[in-house]
Amino acid sequence: MAQQSTLRRGNLPAELTSFIGRHAELAALAALLTGPRLVTVTGPGGVGKTRLALRAAATAAEDAYLVEIGELQDPLLLGHAVLEALGLTDGTARPPLEVLVEQLDGRRLLLVLDGCEHLVAACAELAGTLLRALPGLRVLATSREALRIGGEHLLPVVPLPVTAPPGTLPAAVRLFCDRAAAVLPGFEPRGERQRAEVGTLCRRLDGIPLALELAAGRLRSLSVGQIALRLDDRFELLTDGDRGALPRHRTLRTAIGWSHELCTMQERLLWARLSVFAGSFDLEAAEHICAGDGIEADEVVDLLRELVAKSVLLREEYAGAVRYRLLDTLRDYGAGWLRGSGAEYGLRRRHRDWYLGLASWGEVEWFGPRQAETAERTALAHSNLRAALEFCLGEPGEEQVALLLAGTLWYFWVGCGHLGEGRHWLERALALDRAPTAARAKALWVTGYTATLQGDRARAEPLLQECRSQALATGDDRALAYALHRLGCSALIGDEPARAAELFEQALRHYETAGELNSNVLMAMFELGLAQLFQGRVTEGEEYMARVREICEEHGEQWAYAYGLYARAYSQWLVGEARQARAFARESVRLHYGFRDLVGLVLGLELLALLEADRGELVEARVLQGAAHRIWQAVGVPLFGSADFNAPHHECARRARAGLSEQEFRAAFERGARLELAQAVHRALDRAAELPTERDDDGDGESDCVLLDRVSGLGRHQA
């Protein structure tokens, strides 16, 4: 299932190797984290800043969240990355910093900004803004340079000690031996000579952890003495005689360069090619992008294994699948070789093509039983999709591909809670190329769609009208269908249900002419049904709901199905069938929560609040309304500012005000507004499940449990 939209209790990764040394630094950092609210761990690349920060964060009093800054290129995406790391979803058009300040108000947490040096100004602005606005926040940053803002306390990290009192082993030696044992099982220095060689090697490498790990990776083919000797021979060669470089920088360059030199030609070639990836990647991506011109596709898996053994690559497991990652320092080194080879542009195009293919396949699979897997796969590729978009937007001649990629990812931007970031990429792409192509038409309607969901109709309408005009001028019936459809959405939230219904009907005719059938078409049917319900035409609305349900069940579609369930719940409430309305609304909330779609989720929550009022549970109804109000702040204007969408909310509030004292009315709402998303959803679902199991109010012979099972069947069958 897709990631859930809730403020998780920390997201720090599990440690994959033992933590050695750094007791003094760890104690100092722990002490700092109880006092100053901004601490920056500084030091050269490879010295262990990240590992120290993560170990300290794991023992901090506050919940800790890691934001990997090294994967970002665009400083404008920094706020979006923080929201994503925190598990927060925001669908508004507001700046991410404003959203963060609002959603984190009153919370106590530790934010770990890792690898700030290449975006130091943006990180400094973000940290300063958040710290001024949020007294319960602490920031722990790692960077090769300070952020240089008020209140910052620095903890410089130096390499591990290479000497120790008699009878004890220096931390650098213990680290080397630990990593060596992972490469050469049973490794342990024996005898004075071998212990002296290990000590010499660790001193030669200045105790830099990354250099020690790289050297340990050579032990399968060389002895400790051979490693030390060859490092001596290569020191000047591999630093290009740069005597002006800091000694520790030269040492690390030597260690990386020598590790690179001792790789086979194919391993070096793959290392360079892997530098095009941002974040993690899987075997299939590496085979497609990096094979050819000296590397066969079936050789990639063995080469990856060798690079892992040499500590060049990190191997990670996620949901039972293996993924790989290059450390930033090693990626930079590989990228230098790739640039020098003259092959960088071609490799980045192949990288772009692979992730365009991933997005295109995701768009296809979004209409089917694998929506949850598609959401997860796209989320894992998020960093690389960003890199592909940056490439398209930065290279002349790639503008149309940028439009296509940004538009194709509509399902991720809309269905998985990334409206703000999606609009960022779409607006940038639209500004670069105004040629009336199919790619631009798609980007226009997708941007208009995201703006509509954000409540920004002033921006949405011109974009959708441009898409409509272009489609008419070029004879693009598919683009015309999408433009009319999304104009209908704008009319629907603008309290023009009759005009909306007319636009949806036109869109459905053009969809049929174009042979289009997907989740968007189902949403047009759902929205047409809702427009009919808003006009009091319950029978007509139910007909469209039945059609949506039929197609969803045929294809295993769940996202549009969840919206259809909301409309059915609303319809059942209109005709007085509260029990069925509650079952449909509950399942709609459950599915939307899994997809991280706050728009659909909060609509269902509002309806469940009204159904609580129907049962006479007025306090609980106001609690749920308070929870919904908090969620709307992350979506946009509550209930789109629409009188039609607001009708259940106002009816619920009217009943609650009539049956509660003013103090009870306000206190219940405020209690709900303090609930985090996960708490609100679980409360709503648990309350909705508290139904009599034997009663059959409508006389159809179907118990509440049977009804709930039937409604939930599709989601469970396809999970």
Side-chain angles (χ1 to χ4, degrees):
M1 182 55 71
Q3 295 179 27
Q4 293 182 345
S5 176
T6 175
L7 189 63
R8 296 161 292 179
R9 295 298 182 186
N11 70 337
L12 301 184
E15 293 184 332
L16 300 178
T17 55
S18 56
F19 185 87
I20 293 174
R22 302 291 189 201
H23 299 300
E25 295 95 328
L26 194 58
L29 186 50
L32 283 172
L33 290 176
T34 64
R37 296 176 54 224
L38 171 61
V39 179
T40 303
V41 178
T42 61
V47 80
K49 300 183 296 295
T50 298
R51 190 65 187 275
L52 176 63
L54 291 179
R55 170 55 72 99
T59 59
E62 294 89 357
D63 301 324
Y65 298 85
L66 170 66
V67 186
E68 294 179 309
I69 310 298
E71 298 178 0
L72 299 175
Q73 299 177 50
D74 186 347
L76 295 178
L77 292 179
L78 182 57
H80 292 292
V82 176
L83 282 168
E84 184 177 13
L86 290 166
L88 295 172
T89 300
D90 182 75
T92 68
R94 296 175 298 169
L97 267 178
E98 180 182 324
V99 176
L100 283 165
V101 168
E102 179 182 274
Q103 295 210 23
L104 298 180
D105 186 32
R107 303 182 189 277
R108 292 184 59 82
L109 58 89
L110 174 64
L111 196 61
V112 183
L113 304 178
D114 184 39
C116 298
E117 55 271 355
H118 67 300
L119 296 178
V120 67
C123 290
E125 180 185 0
L126 178 133
T129 300
L130 294 182
L131 288 168
R132 284 190 295 272
L134 302 168
L137 176 71
R138 295 181 188 276
V139 174
L140 173 58
T142 72
S143 178
R144 297 182 191 181
E145 59 177 294
L147 301 188
R148 296 185 178 89
I149 59 176
E152 180 181 29
H153 282 61
L154 301 180
L155 180 70
V157 177
V158 298
L160 292 171
V162 295
T163 60
T168 61
L169 288 176
V173 171
R174 287 189 284 119
L175 177 66
F176 177 82
C177 292
D178 179 82
R179 302 305 188 255
V183 174
L184 199 64
F187 175 86
E188 183 181 347
R190 290 183 174 85
E192 285 299 321
R193 179 179 174 183
Q194 198 171 41
R195 284 194 289 270
E197 287 176 339
V198 170
T200 299
L201 176 60
C202 292
R203 287 191 296 274
R204 188 66 187 82
L205 293 173
D206 287 335
I208 299 173
L210 178 56
L212 294 168
E213 293 188 358
L214 290 171
R218 305 308 312 172
L219 283 173
R220 289 190 306 166
S221 55
L222 296 171
S223 70
V224 174
Q226 288 174 315
I227 293 173
L229 180 62
R230 296 187 182 208
L231 273 172
D232 281 337
D233 291 343
R234 284 157 177 78
F235 187 80
E236 291 299 327
L237 175 64
L238 294 176
T239 56
D240 298 323
D242 182 8
R243 297 184 182 278
L246 292 174
R248 285 167 184 158
H249 291 175
R250 298 175 71 202
T251 300
L252 183 58
R253 289 172 62 189
T254 300
I256 296 174
W258 182 64
S259 186
H260 181 266
E261 182 184 88
L262 291 182
C263 287
T264 67
M265 183 181 71
Q266 286 185 311
E267 290 166 1
R268 292 183 223 169
L269 191 57
L270 184 60
W271 182 348
R273 293 176 181 179
L274 292 174
S275 68
V276 301
F277 288 103
S280 67
F281 56 91
D282 58 21
L283 172 62
E284 290 75 19
E287 287 175 333
H288 180 87
I289 296 167
C290 301
D293 299 325
I295 299 177
E296 297 297 325
D298 60 4
E299 294 176 313
V300 171
V301 64
D302 291 331
L303 293 172
L304 289 173
R305 187 181 65 245
E306 290 300 313
L307 290 175
V308 169
K310 293 179 172 71
S311 300
V312 174
L313 274 181
L314 296 178
R315 180 185 183 276
E316 304 171 342
E317 286 198 26
Y318 187 90
V322 174
R323 299 182 68 80
Y324 302 92
R325 179 191 299 269
L326 273 169
L327 290 176
D328 290 344
T329 306
L330 299 177
R331 182 189 299 115
D332 291 345
Y333 190 88
W337 278 87
L338 186 62
R339 285 191 296 272
S341 71
E344 181 181 21
Y345 179 74
L347 260 293
R348 294 202 179 278
R349 279 180 61 93
R350 286 162 72 174
H351 176 274
R352 184 276 318 276
D353 290 342
W354 172 263
Y355 286 99
L356 175 60
L358 183 145
S360 300
W361 186 242
E363 183 182 33
V364 171
E365 287 206 319
W366 189 252
F367 180 57
R370 301 183 64 181
Q371 280 179 313
E373 295 174 45
T374 298
E376 194 65 62
R377 183 173 64 247
T378 310
L380 286 172
H382 196 170
S383 294
N384 282 294
L385 289 165
R386 285 171 172 159
L389 283 162
E390 283 287 0
F391 171 78
C392 294
L393 292 168
E395 289 289 339
E398 298 288 335
E399 297 85 359
Q400 286 294 314
V401 186
L403 288 166
L404 179 60
L405 178 54
T408 299
L409 284 167
W410 69 266
Y411 69 92
F412 187 59
W413 310 138
V414 173
C416 301
H418 298 281
L419 285 176
E421 181 177 342
R423 189 168 167 189
H424 166 85
W425 293 114
L426 288 157
E427 296 275 18
R428 284 183 62 186
L430 286 170
L432 286 180
D433 196 332
R434 299 188 176 276
T437 62
R440 180 171 176 82
K442 186 170 191 174
L444 283 167
W445 74 255
V446 175
T447 313
Y449 185 19
T450 61
T452 299
L453 292 174
Q454 292 176 322
D456 190 1
R457 295 181 68 208
R459 176 60 176 154
E461 291 270 353
L463 291 166
L464 295 170
Q465 291 291 358
E466 181 184 345
C467 182
R468 178 178 179 275
S469 298
Q470 178 184 310
L472 289 170
T474 59
D476 188 342
D477 210 56
R478 179 175 283 103
L480 181 59
Y482 281 103
L484 292 168
H485 177 185
R486 299 311 171 190
L487 283 167
C489 293
S490 182
L492 188 64
I493 69 171
D495 292 324
E496 300 177 86
R499 176 171 173 265
E502 181 181 346
L503 288 165
F504 292 140
E505 288 170 349
Q506 292 178 34
L508 287 169
R509 287 196 295 271
H510 285 287
Y511 278 138
E512 186 175 3
T513 300
E516 198 87 338
L517 180 61
N518 55 32
S519 298
N520 284 296
V521 178
L522 292 175
M523 288 294 286
M525 293 179 186
F526 147 72
E527 288 149 351
L528 175 54
L530 205 56
Q532 300 288 8
L533 295 178
F534 286 165
Q535 296 177 82
R537 299 172 180 169
V538 177
T539 302
E540 292 90 336
E542 279 286 352
E543 289 176 1
Y544 285 105
M545 294 307 103
R547 181 63 178 144
V548 170
R549 184 174 69 253
E550 177 186 336
I551 297 174
C552 286
E553 290 174 348
E554 179 183 349
H555 293 274
E557 209 278 357
Q558 298 179 70
W559 178 66
Y561 179 72
Y563 277 99
L565 286 172
Y566 163 76
R568 291 199 70 198
Y570 183 74
S571 172
Q572 291 297 294
W573 172 73
L574 286 176
V575 299
E577 295 290 348
R579 179 176 62 88
Q580 295 195 49
R582 187 177 294 107
F584 293 137
R586 178 175 182 264
E587 185 65 3
S588 174
V589 167
R590 186 188 71 81
L591 289 172
H592 280 304
Y593 181 56
F595 279 113
R596 207 176 180 181
D597 186 339
L598 292 192
V599 175
L601 186 156
V602 73
L603 287 173
L605 201 61
E606 290 276 8
L607 198 52
L608 283 174
L610 175 57
L611 292 165
E612 286 295 318
D614 271 353
R615 290 205 286 177
E617 300 288 346
L618 302 181
V619 170
E620 187 63 26
R622 280 299 283 172
V623 169
L624 291 182
Q625 283 199 313
H629 179 76
R630 177 171 181 168
I631 298 170
W632 279 117
Q633 292 176 311
V635 172
V637 180
L639 290 150
F640 315 112
S642 159
D644 288 327
F645 279 97
N646 262 287
H649 176 89
H650 291 320
E651 177 61 18
C652 178
R654 184 190 67 77
R655 296 186 190 184
R657 188 178 291 278
L660 299 174
S661 69
E662 187 64 26
Q663 181 179 357
E664 291 172 326
F665 184 80
R666 294 191 179 193
F669 185 89
E670 291 170 0
R671 188 158 72 250
R674 290 193 295 269
L675 294 176
E676 295 180 10
L677 180 62
Q679 295 171 320
V681 170
H682 292 153
R683 181 166 185 147
L685 296 185
D686 289 345
R687 290 285 302 185
E690 293 174 3
L691 299 172
T693 57
E694 301 299 331
R695 195 181 71 237
D696 176 24
D697 290 339
D698 54 9
D700 62 2
E702 183 173 62
S703 74
D704 291 323
C705 282
V706 172
L707 176 63
L708 283 168
D709 285 344
R710 180 168 60 81
V711 172
S712 306
L714 176 65
R716 285 204 308 272
H717 176 70
Q718 302 297 344

